[in-house]
Amino acid sequence: MGREECWEHALGGVRTLVRDADGLPIAHGGIVQRRVPYTDRSRRAGSTPLARPAPSR
C-alpha cells in the first residue's frame, strides 16, 4: 500500500485524544467504519488507522 493510499484509508471516522490525569496527551487515534464482505452479506467493522501513543509512553 502506497503512502497516498494509506492517507486516504485514514480519512473520515471519529478522532480522539487521550489525556492522563494531569491533562497531558498520551495517545491519539480514530476509528473508521468499514464494510467487510462475509458470505452473502456484509458486516460493519472498525479500523484504527494512524493510532499512535505518545513517544514517552
Side-chain angles (χ1 to χ4, degrees), residues 27-57:
H28 70 87
I31 187 158
V32 179
Q33 182 176 299
R34 300 285 183 229
R35 294 244 177 230
V36 179
Y38 178 73
T39 61
D40 61 338
R41 300 175 62 185
S42 66
R43 305 285 183 190
R44 289 183 290 185
S47 170
T48 55
L50 303 179
R52 298 288 182 261
S56 62
R57 300 290 173 162

Side-chain angles (χ1 to χ4, degrees), residues 3 6 9 11 22 36 41 48:
R3 216 174 156 147
C6 284
H9 184 73
L11 297 177
D22 297 322
V36 179
R41 300 175 62 185
T48 55

Side-chain angles (χ1 to χ4, degrees), residues 5-27:
E5 205 174 7
C6 284
W7 177 249
E8 288 174 13
H9 184 73
L11 297 177
V14 177
R15 302 286 182 234
T16 187
L17 177 63
V18 180
R19 298 177 183 268
D20 67 11
D22 297 322
L24 299 172
I26 58 173

